[in-house]
Amino acid sequence: MKISPSILDADFKAVQQDLDSIATADRIHLDVMDGQYVPNLSFGPPVLKNLNYPVEYEVHLMAQNPDRFVDLFCDMGVSTFTFHIETVTEEKALELFNGLKERGVKAGICIDGATPVSALSDEVLDQADQVLVMSVQAGFGGQSFMPESINKIKTLRARGFKAEIEVDGGVNLDNVKLLAQAGADIVVVGSALMKQPTALRANLITQFQSS
Ligand code: DX5
Ligand code: ZN
């Protein structure tokens, strides 16, 4: 299993230390919230572009009208740009995918905790580089894992989706094996990693990676 730590709950007084402590992760997950699609605000490019990332970093955009933010995040150097299917039409999703790929950025589509896999059409699945399956309702770190997300992973694989499946929300060392068995490739881990002291994180990352 690959791991993408979320820095949503990082200590921003010493955020560079937090980033350095997760340098052995496969990538870093940036949770951007607009206070409209989700009832919470987090951070955006003015803050994020000044950090030094030890590995590649992806954005999980929880915002209405995601097209407003494509240029900002592509210019910032994200490896993957993931937006929510709940915020776009199918036509807009496909248009955004094309624009991202033209810029050399991987295109990800997210389904929120309450959204069924059927919200993703075959065309969207054909074109997506990654599906992000939320295993909580988007908006906050530290929520409990929704077990029904296991079936969403299985349904995606049963529909023939071959690209990367990432799972986000309430992931810990107790449920990561089930996610691997269901067909997930990468997990986002927030509180289960970032609430631990920096000195313990490299070892925890190894434990996720060997699950
Ligand atoms: C929730 C975010 C998640 C979250 C992960 O809206 O997308 O990335 O911060 O944190 P935990 O692992 O604590 O659920
Ligand atoms: Zn996220």
Side-chain angles (χ1 to χ4, degrees):
M1 182 65 86
K2 288 192 263 183
I3 176 170
S4 184
S6 164
I7 60 164
L8 182 61
D9 289 324
D11 175 5
F12 270 75
K13 289 193 298 302
V15 68
Q16 199 57 53
Q17 277 172 31
D18 266 342
L19 285 169
D20 294 343
S21 75
I22 52 176
T24 53
D26 297 278
R27 55 177 99 131
I28 288 171
H29 184 87
L30 305 175
D31 284 306
V32 175
M33 304 181 180
D34 70 343
Q36 292 184 43
Y37 174 65
V38 288
N40 197 8
L41 286 163
S42 58
F43 36 54
V47 170
L48 297 171
K49 72 179 183 202
N50 293 315
L51 307 180
N52 292 317
Y53 299 94
V55 287
E56 66 177 74
Y57 47 100
E58 60 185 359
V59 64
H60 171 197
L61 183 71
M62 289 160 268
Q64 301 289 4
N65 303 315
D67 38 334
R68 292 176 296 162
F69 300 108
V70 168
D71 286 346
L72 281 170
F73 284 104
C74 288
D75 290 348
M76 204 189 102
V78 297
S79 60
T80 307
F81 181 98
T82 297
F83 56 95
H84 274 254
I85 193 68
E86 297 85 356
T87 63
V88 287
T89 61
E90 177 186 328
E91 190 186 8
K92 175 59 81 177
L94 296 172
E95 182 190 315
L96 285 173
F97 286 175
N98 284 336
L100 289 164
K101 290 177 190 189
E102 275 168 17
R103 302 191 59 159
V105 173
K106 286 191 204 150
I109 192 75
C110 182
I111 49 170
D112 215 328
T115 303
V117 173
S118 58
L120 300 171
S121 68
D122 289 339
E123 290 76 8
V124 165
L125 288 183
D126 272 353
Q127 298 296 319
D129 294 315
Q130 174 185 284
V131 171
L132 180 60
V133 174
M134 293 295 301
S135 38
V136 296
Q137 195 63 18
F140 300 90
Q143 303 182 72
S144 299
F145 179 79
M146 296 166 65
E148 53 269 40
S149 50
I150 303 268
N151 278 334
K152 293 189 185 179
I153 301 165
K154 291 182 181 164
T155 303
L156 282 165
R157 291 301 183 213
R159 280 178 64 184
F161 184 70
K162 301 255 182 335
E164 201 163 56
I165 298 179
E166 183 171 32
V167 184
D168 184 6
V171 177
N172 55 40
L173 284 170
D174 294 328
N175 54 33
V176 64
K177 279 203 174 58
L178 282 173
L179 297 171
Q181 283 161 8
D185 304 288
I186 177 160
V187 286
V188 176
V189 183
S191 43
L193 183 65
M194 304 309 281
K195 297 267 186 234
Q196 296 299 318
T198 50
L200 300 184
R201 292 181 193 161
N203 181 266
L204 280 168
I205 287 170
T206 306
Q207 290 185 56
F208 278 102
Q209 287 167 332
S210 50
S211 294

